[in-house]
Amino acid sequence: MKSEIPLDDPAPRAHTALLSSTPKGAAIGRRTARQKLTSWELNSLCPDAFHSALLIVAELAANASIHGRTPGRGFELSLSLTSVRRSRTTVLRIEVSDCRGDKRPVLPDPRSCSTDAQSGRGLTLVDALADRWGTLPREPNAKTVWAELDLPEDKFEADDTA
């Protein structure tokens, strides 16, 4: 797990969606993320980060709908774009919260994954794509898995109000 950095901007661009803990909910989360990140012009300003973010959302939403599923309860997807002035970067933060605080994600040992396994590589992908990621407890018995991508500040200077 990589450490979290403090942010300077008190009013980030942000979007939150509550989704069902089902494969359909995960698909809606992926589509929502694509639409929101496109509206923030991440697809044209930082295409590599845009595609990395979509993969991270896909993995975290899938994990929430499979491993974080509690019957009758959904999961929450949050996206925010925040300036960090002292380092002249903009941070895209992705958070997925589910109701299974007792099931904290663990980065698997690459030696333990068989080459023909159908699952078990999602967090390895998140770890490779994100600049930082981790988990936070959420009351009463839930968790948030977050990931951050650093973006060049000069790409987002003009408009920080969307």
Side-chain angles (χ1 to χ4, degrees), residues 19 26-34 37 50-64 75 77-79 92-96 126 129 147:
L19 304 157
I28 292 169
R30 292 190 304 270
R31 189 175 25 226
T32 299
R34 177 180 292 279
L37 296 177
F50 174 76
H51 293 291
S52 293
L54 293 179
L55 286 170
I56 290 169
V57 168
E59 291 302 330
L60 296 183
N63 285 352
F75 72 93
L77 168 66
S78 296
L79 304 168
L92 172 63
R93 185 173 173 104
I94 301 161
E95 295 182 347
V96 174
V126 170
L129 294 172

